Amino acid sequence: MLHPANVTRRFIELYEEIDLPPVRLHDLRHGAATLAHASGADLKDIQEMLGHSLITITADTYRSLLPEADLAIA
């Protein structure tokens, strides 16, 4: 198994090698959920992707991030 500290350390090395600004691994999770929402993914699918126990957690966190996506979906 991979130790989380080693994964984080390697991730930092990689973004520093290619001269990207610092980003947390957790930020990538938010980015993936936001992009899924923007592309029209159902909140239930996003909930399952993220492993949230309640859909209200997913809805409260991601529903208002991209209001223009909500308008396009509607």
Side-chain angles (χ1 to χ4, degrees):
M1 284 185 58
L2 297 173
H3 191 279
N6 293 334
V7 173
T8 300
R9 187 177 314 111
R10 181 64 181 139
F11 180 71
I12 291 169
E13 290 171 358
L14 289 171
Y15 73 66
E16 287 177 345
E17 280 178 26
I18 57 176
D19 201 30
L20 289 175
V23 64
R24 300 173 306 149
L25 281 168
H26 195 77
D27 295 334
L28 298 180
R29 174 181 167 90
H30 286 297
T34 301
L35 290 173
H37 182 58
S39 68
D42 183 73
L43 279 178
K44 184 68 176 168
D45 294 331
I46 297 170
Q47 173 199 3
E48 291 174 9
M49 176 178 77
L50 298 174
H52 289 157
S53 58
L54 302 171
I55 196 160
T56 54
I57 296 169
T58 310
D60 290 347
T61 305
Y62 297 102
R63 185 172 287 164
S64 63
L65 288 180
L66 294 170
E68 64 278 2
D70 288 336
L71 290 174
I73 292 168

